[in-house]
Amino acid sequence: MRQFQIAYENREVFRGELKKIASWRKSHPTSGALFQIFTGDVEEEIIREIEQVIDEEMPDADYYGCTTNGNILGDTLNMGQVVSCTLFEYPTSKYKVLQYEMTEDTEIVATAALLQTVRDNPWVKAVELLVTIRGMSMTGFTEHLSMLPENVQVFGGGAMSENLDSRHAKVFSKNGKISEKAVVFVVYGGEDIHITTTYVTGWKPLGREMVVTSAEGNTLYELDNKPAYDTYFRYLSIKNDEHFFNNTLEFPFFFQHNGIDMLRAPISSNEDGSIVMTSDMDEGCVARMAYGDPGVILDCVREEAEKIQDFQPEVIRIYSCAARRTFWGDEANLEFAPFQSITSTSGFFTSGEFLRTGKFVNQHNVTMVIGALREGNVKDNYVKTLTINDKRFSGQVSMIRRMATFVQAATEELEEANRQLEKAAITDGLTGLSNRKEIQKRITDTLRRSVNGGLLEKTAFPVSLIMIDIDDFKKVNDTYGHKEGDLVLRGLSDMVRRVLKKNAPGSSAGRWGGEEFMILLPERDANQAEKIAECMRKEFNKLVFSYSKQHSISLGVTQGRGEDDVDSICMRVDSALYDAKHAGKNCVVVK
């Protein structure tokens, strides 16, 4: 496999370059020629000009391509037109170029046709794709692509234009017209073709976690029950205007999807504070803002480039997000040039990146997706040539990384403080059990979950309560002081935890007030609750305290009934405890 790369200047210069490739083919047997055409110009005239010359000079060749936000030509960024010609040298190597209409109404048709092609051609090992996606949710598209056999790799990118704000992006191929609503698939395979894929982000999460509380399709409405746009205004002072897209590209959301860390960038903001994303974010997922640091990104590039080099590729394809080009500015080649130092590299800057990881095909943002191809087996005498120009960033910690570390540490401390405050608000300070407000809330919630229509006679599971009172506890405080009394209360609390952990996991215990405690037993009936209560009575009798020695407890037990609410069930268990007290104490009464 060999790749030739051409920076297109004009028709005649290009024709001369193709004649050189044709001459090379005469002395080197090839089984096929496949051209990639990437252009930052969305005008169709120049695309047709390139296609015409290829048809005239190499009529047996296939070609495909798209408009871009910049092209990767070896180790340089090219803003014009780049043509790459991949020549396959093994007779067993195969490929097919397919093009289909691509809208939300036709995505199923397009992916179904691809699935059928793969079923009909078991030699397929990978699918490369170029697609127009601006303003369209790609979730259904990726879900259907995930139905491909797991051994088939998927990688590619979304077409774009040089103008980030433009919605005009086009894909095309020898088998299809130039279209703003289409997808091109290239399937590769054969016994001697080998393909591996990977991806690089390098962006790191920053700040506090936020929950997606409202989203529909690729529109993100709310984060933490507030308009999604508020996050960008509050933390970054980004205005809700025509520059929103450019200003947010470097600050995507970081979240987990299908088991991997992913980034998601906004396309635009709406007057209602919602944000249109390049792909869906599920309600309930936890997201954080992310930031990029050149040194960290290049560390990630090195790690993935070393893996690619070990594969010994002959051709590398790169699909990198336009946000990364914006981030790097004039130094965008710093992160893709290392791959050219391994072997011939081509690609472009995209509106979204696609990659299969495990079972799932995912749409990425702010990500660099890499596909590496090779014909034949690895060589024993392979010479590693990977070079990364990271001297400016090695051995130092950048200001942005220091600031990010500071912000993250402060955020974590604040989040931990908030967790402690939340815990303190529902916890009894002396015993560590739930306080009365919390245990009462849990009783209410459990009753609601156990009923249908609010009637306990239709319970899905029984609910029981145990109420405990320490017998003659006032004498402990009066005789030995409150310090000893506190030890007795904590001793009872520890005993309750042990018994529940062993006999009723999933139950809750709380301090009801003074020396009274309440136990909530979901999915336990009165008979089971009585046995647990009797166990607690006996276990507490065994405890010996420093000064006051041994004590006893009285316990009331009840099970929820059809007419119960939280007040009635608590009053009945309190009545059962009262009866236990008047029955001589140190006993269990069920009511």
Side-chain angles (χ1 to χ4, degrees):
M1 185 180 294
R2 184 178 176 89
Q3 179 167 261
F4 295 85
Q5 299 179 68
I6 304 166
Y8 186 83
E9 296 181 36
N10 57 56
R11 181 191 295 266
E12 294 311 313
V13 172
F14 182 51
R15 190 183 301 277
E17 293 297 328
L18 292 194
K19 289 183 181 297
K20 293 178 184 178
I21 297 174
S23 176
W24 188 92
R25 291 184 74 186
K26 290 179 180 179
S27 59
H28 298 81
T30 60
S31 59
L34 181 62
F35 284 86
Q36 287 181 320
I37 305 167
F38 297 138
T39 173
D41 192 338
V42 297
E43 295 300 322
E44 295 184 10
E45 182 180 350
I46 194 165
I47 297 172
R48 291 197 177 96
E49 184 177 286
I50 293 171
E51 291 178 338
Q52 183 180 0
V53 175
I54 295 174
D55 286 334
E56 292 170 354
E57 296 297 329
M58 213 173 292
D60 67 318
D62 278 307
Y63 51 77
Y64 65 105
C66 66
T67 58
T68 75
N69 186 244
N71 310 309
I72 295 171
L73 177 62
D75 60 359
T76 61
L77 173 65
N78 178 289
M79 297 307 298
Q81 292 77 41
V82 169
V83 181
S84 300
C85 177
T86 301
L87 300 179
F88 298 87
E89 300 177 275
Y90 280 62
T92 58
S93 298
K94 300 178 182 180
Y95 64 87
K96 284 188 177 183
V97 180
L98 313 166
Q99 181 172 334
Y100 304 102
E101 182 184 9
M102 181 66 182
T103 66
E104 290 183 345
D105 295 328
T106 62
E107 65 182 15
I108 296 178
V109 177
T111 51
L114 173 65
L115 289 168
Q116 187 61 51
T117 297
V118 172
R119 283 192 290 267
D120 294 342
N121 297 277
W123 48 265
V124 174
K125 291 182 177 179
V127 176
E128 182 181 25
L129 67 92
L130 306 179
V131 62
T132 53
I133 67 176
R134 290 298 298 274
M136 179 177 166
S137 170
M138 303 302 288
T139 297
F141 179 67
T142 56
E143 287 176 349
H144 286 105
L145 288 179
S146 297
M147 297 170 64
L148 287 163
E150 286 191 45
N151 63 323
V152 175
Q153 301 191 62
V154 180
F155 63 101
M160 207 171 182
S161 67
E162 184 176 349
N163 181 357
L164 290 174
D165 293 319
S166 173
R167 288 183 174 269
H168 297 288
K170 302 173 182 179
V171 300
F172 48 87
S173 70
K174 187 172 185 176
N175 302 319
K177 63 181 181 179
I178 301 170
S179 175
E180 291 189 1
K181 296 180 179 180
V183 58
V184 173
F185 296 116
V186 184
V187 297
Y188 298 95
E191 60 184 270
D192 293 305
I193 277 192
H194 305 278
I195 299 174
T196 189
T197 59
T198 189
Y199 70 104
V200 177
T201 57
W203 264 247
K204 297 299 180 182
L206 178 68
R208 68 181 186 86
E209 293 182 342
M210 297 170 284
V211 178
V212 175
T213 49
S214 180
E216 183 177 352
N218 64 332
T219 302
L220 176 60
Y221 287 98
E222 293 182 354
L223 290 165
D224 289 344
N225 297 306
K226 297 178 181 178
Y229 161 73
D230 287 1
T231 300
Y232 281 104
F233 183 75
R234 179 179 180 183
Y235 295 109
L236 298 172
S237 297
I238 293 175
K239 295 180 180 180
N240 190 352
D241 57 21
E242 68 273 15
H243 304 296
F244 179 81
F245 177 62
N246 283 326
N247 290 333
T248 58
L249 273 175
E250 298 178 39
F251 298 96
F253 287 114
F254 179 100
F255 70 112
Q256 273 217 337
H257 181 65
N258 288 335
I260 62 172
D261 293 333
M262 295 185 65
L263 300 172
R264 191 69 79 231
I267 295 175
S268 61
S269 57
N270 301 317
E271 291 183 2
D272 63 359
S274 62
I275 297 175
V276 178
M277 311 295 291
T278 49
S279 190
D280 301 0
M281 292 178 69
D282 297 332
E283 287 187 1
C285 78
V286 176
R288 295 162 71 184
M289 299 197 79
Y291 76 98
D293 173 79
V296 175
I297 294 170
L298 291 182
D299 286 344
C300 294
V301 168
R302 178 185 296 279
E303 182 179 348
E304 298 306 320
E306 288 174 348
K307 295 177 185 176
I308 292 294
Q309 181 171 242
D310 289 340
F311 174 75
Q312 298 185 16
E314 294 173 310
V315 170
I316 293 176
R317 313 264 205 240
I318 289 181
Y319 300 98
S320 187
C321 186
R324 300 180 79 92
R325 189 194 138 206
T326 300
F327 175 83
W328 286 104
D330 294 337
E331 296 181 302
N333 66 323
L334 283 175
E335 67 171 5
F336 62 76
F339 295 94
Q340 175 65 25
S341 72
I342 299 172
T343 194
S344 180
T345 299
S346 62
F348 70 93
F349 287 94
T350 75
S351 59
E353 307 75 57
F354 298 86
L355 182 67
R356 180 171 217 157
T357 304
K359 291 176 57 178
F360 302 102
V361 176
N362 296 300
Q363 182 191 354
H364 292 262
N365 295 130
V366 201
T367 299
M368 182 163 61
V369 162
I370 302 109
L373 297 81
R374 184 189 75 237
E375 287 182 295
N377 297 322
V378 296
K379 300 176 178 62
D380 293 334
N381 60 346
Y382 180 79
V383 177
K384 295 184 177 182
T385 56
L386 173 63
T387 304
I388 296 182
N389 181 16
D390 62 348
K391 291 182 180 179
R392 185 153 59 90
F393 306 106
S394 61
Q396 63 174 323
V397 180
S398 67
M399 179 61 70
I400 188 172
R401 203 185 312 186
R402 290 192 185 110
M403 290 300 298
T405 300
F406 170 78
V407 171
Q408 193 58 36
T411 300
E412 289 173 357
E413 289 176 359
L414 180 60
E415 288 177 344
E416 178 59 26
N418 287 335
R419 283 192 291 269
Q420 294 298 327
L421 286 173
E422 290 172 0
K423 183 178 179 181
I426 63 172
T427 303
D428 176 64
L430 176 64
T431 64
L433 298 178
S434 297
N435 59 24
R436 178 165 180 160
K437 181 179 179 181
E438 175 64 14
I439 192 66
Q440 195 166 12
K441 177 181 177 298
R442 294 188 185 188
I443 294 169
T444 301
D445 292 344
T446 303
L447 286 175
R448 286 173 180 164
R449 291 198 308 271
S450 71
V451 303
N452 183 352
L455 300 176
L456 280 171
E457 60 261 34
K458 298 181 180 178
T459 55
F461 55 85
V463 179
S464 295
L465 297 182
I466 300 173
M467 193 169 185
I468 304 172
D469 183 84
I470 302 174
D471 296 331
D472 304 315
F473 182 72
K474 186 175 183 301
K475 293 181 180 178
V476 178
N477 284 330
D478 291 345
T479 306
Y480 303 102
H482 287 280
K483 186 176 181 179
E484 180 72 2
D486 290 348
L487 290 174
V488 174
L489 291 171
R490 283 196 288 265
L492 173 61
S493 303
D494 293 341
M495 178 276 296
V496 166
R497 289 191 189 92
R498 290 195 301 271
V499 172
L500 291 180
K501 182 178 180 180
K502 181 178 180 180
N503 299 284
S507 300
S508 301
R511 187 177 179 190
W512 199 248
E515 66 271 25
E516 291 184 336
F517 293 79
M518 186 73 79
I519 316 297
L520 169 63
L521 300 168
E523 302 185 14
R524 302 296 194 285
D525 59 23
N527 290 333
Q528 294 170 307
E530 182 181 15
K531 291 178 181 178
I532 293 170
E534 184 61 27
C535 178
M536 290 180 177
R537 187 189 67 80
K538 291 178 179 178
E539 288 298 311
F540 189 68
N541 285 343
K542 296 176 184 177
L543 298 180
V544 180
F545 297 92
S546 300
Y547 299 103
S548 57
K549 305 306 178 186
Q550 292 174 288
H551 303 279
S552 66
I553 53 177
S554 299
L555 305 95
V557 175
T558 194
Q559 179 178 334
R561 299 174 186 169
E563 71 280 2
D564 271 332
D565 57 20
V566 64
D567 291 329
S568 62
I569 194 173
C570 288
M571 287 177 62
R572 192 166 59 254
V573 75
D574 183 72
S575 177
L577 175 61
Y578 179 85
D579 291 346
K581 287 287 190 181
H582 284 267
K585 303 178 184 177
N586 193 24
C587 65
V588 176
V589 171
V590 180
K591 196 165 187 177

PDB file of all heavy atoms in Angstrom, residues 460-472:
ATOM      1  N   ALA A 460     -46.984  -3.714  46.810  1.00  0.00           N
ATOM      2  CA  ALA A 460     -46.091  -4.623  46.105  1.00  0.00           C
ATOM      3  C   ALA A 460     -45.192  -5.346  47.098  1.00  0.00           C
ATOM      4  O   ALA A 460     -44.654  -6.395  46.799  1.00  0.00           O
ATOM      5  CB  ALA A 460     -45.247  -3.843  45.105  1.00  0.00           C
ATOM      6  N   PHE A 461     -45.028  -4.773  48.294  1.00  0.00           N
ATOM      7  CA  PHE A 461     -44.226  -5.408  49.342  1.00  0.00           C
ATOM      8  C   PHE A 461     -44.673  -4.858  50.691  1.00  0.00           C
ATOM      9  O   PHE A 461     -45.169  -3.738  50.788  1.00  0.00           O
ATOM     10  CB  PHE A 461     -42.727  -5.140  49.131  1.00  0.00           C
ATOM     11  CG  PHE A 461     -42.349  -3.691  49.032  1.00  0.00           C
ATOM     12  CD1 PHE A 461     -42.114  -2.919  50.173  1.00  0.00           C
ATOM     13  CD2 PHE A 461     -42.217  -3.082  47.795  1.00  0.00           C
ATOM     14  CE1 PHE A 461     -41.761  -1.591  50.081  1.00  0.00           C
ATOM     15  CE2 PHE A 461     -41.856  -1.739  47.693  1.00  0.00           C
ATOM     16  CZ  PHE A 461     -41.622  -0.994  48.830  1.00  0.00           C
ATOM     17  N   PRO A 462     -44.502  -5.629  51.760  1.00  0.00           N
ATOM     18  CA  PRO A 462     -44.895  -5.163  53.086  1.00  0.00           C
ATOM     19  C   PRO A 462     -43.902  -4.137  53.624  1.00  0.00           C
ATOM     20  O   PRO A 462     -42.754  -4.067  53.190  1.00  0.00           O
ATOM     21  CB  PRO A 462     -44.879  -6.436  53.926  1.00  0.00           C
ATOM     22  CG  PRO A 462     -43.885  -7.319  53.250  1.00  0.00           C
ATOM     23  CD  PRO A 462     -44.007  -7.021  51.785  1.00  0.00           C
ATOM     24  N   VAL A 463     -44.355  -3.346  54.587  1.00  0.00           N
ATOM     25  CA  VAL A 463     -43.519  -2.356  55.271  1.00  0.00           C
ATOM     26  C   VAL A 463     -43.785  -2.469  56.768  1.00  0.00           C
ATOM     27  O   VAL A 463     -44.938  -2.471  57.188  1.00  0.00           O
ATOM     28  CB  VAL A 463     -43.842  -0.921  54.810  1.00  0.00           C
ATOM     29  CG1 VAL A 463     -42.977   0.084  55.564  1.00  0.00           C
ATOM     30  CG2 VAL A 463     -43.650  -0.783  53.316  1.00  0.00           C
ATOM     31  N   SER A 464     -42.712  -2.573  57.556  1.00  0.00           N
ATOM     32  CA  SER A 464     -42.872  -2.660  59.010  1.00  0.00           C
ATOM     33  C   SER A 464     -41.969  -1.645  59.699  1.00  0.00           C
ATOM     34  O   SER A 464     -40.958  -1.212  59.143  1.00  0.00           O
ATOM     35  CB  SER A 464     -42.537  -4.073  59.506  1.00  0.00           C
ATOM     36  OG  SER A 464     -43.449  -5.016  58.993  1.00  0.00           O
ATOM     37  N   LEU A 465     -42.388  -1.266  60.928  1.00  0.00           N
ATOM     38  CA  LEU A 465     -41.595  -0.353  61.755  1.00  0.00           C
ATOM     39  C   LEU A 465     -41.305  -0.999  63.096  1.00  0.00           C
ATOM     40  O   LEU A 465     -42.112  -1.771  63.626  1.00  0.00           O
ATOM     41  CB  LEU A 465     -42.345   0.954  61.995  1.00  0.00           C
ATOM     42  CG  LEU A 465     -42.679   1.855  60.803  1.00  0.00           C
ATOM     43  CD1 LEU A 465     -43.391   3.111  61.301  1.00  0.00           C
ATOM     44  CD2 LEU A 465     -41.430   2.222  60.022  1.00  0.00           C
ATOM     45  N   ILE A 466     -40.138  -0.670  63.638  1.00  0.00           N
ATOM     46  CA  ILE A 466     -39.785  -1.009  65.017  1.00  0.00           C
ATOM     47  C   ILE A 466     -39.435   0.297  65.728  1.00  0.00           C
ATOM     48  O   ILE A 466     -38.643   1.089  65.218  1.00  0.00           O
ATOM     49  CB  ILE A 466     -38.581  -1.963  65.104  1.00  0.00           C
ATOM     50  CG1 ILE A 466     -38.865  -3.282  64.386  1.00  0.00           C
ATOM     51  CG2 ILE A 466     -38.194  -2.215  66.571  1.00  0.00           C
ATOM     52  CD1 ILE A 466     -37.642  -4.184  64.295  1.00  0.00           C
ATOM     53  N   MET A 467     -40.049   0.512  66.908  1.00  0.00           N
ATOM     54  CA  MET A 467     -39.705   1.692  67.698  1.00  0.00           C
ATOM     55  C   MET A 467     -39.087   1.223  69.006  1.00  0.00           C
ATOM     56  O   MET A 467     -39.586   0.285  69.651  1.00  0.00           O
ATOM     57  CB  MET A 467     -40.952   2.531  67.973  1.00  0.00           C
ATOM     58  CG  MET A 467     -40.649   3.917  68.519  1.00  0.00           C
ATOM     59  SD  MET A 467     -42.122   4.965  68.537  1.00  0.00           S
ATOM     60  CE  MET A 467     -41.406   6.523  69.064  1.00  0.00           C
ATOM     61  N   ILE A 468     -37.969   1.835  69.386  1.00  0.00           N
ATOM     62  CA  ILE A 468     -37.178   1.394  70.541  1.00  0.00           C
ATOM     63  C   ILE A 468     -37.088   2.521  71.563  1.00  0.00           C
ATOM     64  O   ILE A 468     -36.928   3.689  71.210  1.00  0.00           O
ATOM     65  CB  ILE A 468     -35.750   0.993  70.119  1.00  0.00           C
ATOM     66  CG1 ILE A 468     -35.778  -0.096  69.026  1.00  0.00           C
ATOM     67  CG2 ILE A 468     -34.919   0.549  71.313  1.00  0.00           C
ATOM     68  CD1 ILE A 468     -34.417  -0.392  68.429  1.00  0.00           C
ATOM     69  N   ASP A 469     -37.154   2.152  72.846  1.00  0.00           N
ATOM     70  CA  ASP A 469     -36.918   3.103  73.933  1.00  0.00           C
ATOM     71  C   ASP A 469     -36.036   2.426  74.979  1.00  0.00           C
ATOM     72  O   ASP A 469     -36.240   1.263  75.344  1.00  0.00           O
ATOM     73  CB  ASP A 469     -38.240   3.530  74.572  1.00  0.00           C
ATOM     74  CG  ASP A 469     -38.036   4.576  75.660  1.00  0.00           C
ATOM     75  OD1 ASP A 469     -37.945   5.770  75.313  1.00  0.00           O
ATOM     76  OD2 ASP A 469     -37.943   4.183  76.834  1.00  0.00           O
ATOM     77  N   ILE A 470     -35.013   3.143  75.451  1.00  0.00           N
ATOM     78  CA  ILE A 470     -34.127   2.599  76.483  1.00  0.00           C
ATOM     79  C   ILE A 470     -34.833   2.707  77.837  1.00  0.00           C
ATOM     80  O   ILE A 470     -35.253   3.794  78.249  1.00  0.00           O
ATOM     81  CB  ILE A 470     -32.780   3.356  76.526  1.00  0.00           C
ATOM     82  CG1 ILE A 470     -32.087   3.274  75.161  1.00  0.00           C
ATOM     83  CG2 ILE A 470     -31.873   2.788  77.614  1.00  0.00           C
ATOM     84  CD1 ILE A 470     -30.815   4.103  75.066  1.00  0.00           C
ATOM     85  N   ASP A 471     -34.959   1.595  78.517  1.00  0.00           N
ATOM     86  CA  ASP A 471     -35.669   1.563  79.804  1.00  0.00           C
ATOM     87  C   ASP A 471     -34.887   2.352  80.861  1.00  0.00           C
ATOM     88  O   ASP A 471     -33.662   2.191  81.003  1.00  0.00           O
ATOM     89  CB  ASP A 471     -35.855   0.114  80.259  1.00  0.00           C
ATOM     90  CG  ASP A 471     -36.746  -0.674  79.304  1.00  0.00           C
ATOM     91  OD1 ASP A 471     -37.628  -0.055  78.670  1.00  0.00           O
ATOM     92  OD2 ASP A 471     -36.545  -1.904  79.177  1.00  0.00           O
ATOM     93  N   ASP A 472     -35.648   3.186  81.617  1.00  0.00           N
ATOM     94  CA  ASP A 472     -35.081   3.925  82.756  1.00  0.00           C
ATOM     95  C   ASP A 472     -33.832   4.721  82.392  1.00  0.00           C
ATOM     96  O   ASP A 472     -32.870   4.821  83.169  1.00  0.00           O
ATOM     97  CB  ASP A 472     -34.757   2.941  83.901  1.00  0.00           C
ATOM     98  CG  ASP A 472     -35.985   2.142  84.322  1.00  0.00           C
ATOM     99  OD1 ASP A 472     -37.065   2.753  84.463  1.00  0.00           O
ATOM    100  OD2 ASP A 472     -35.855   0.918  84.485  1.00  0.00           O
TER     101      ASP A 472
END
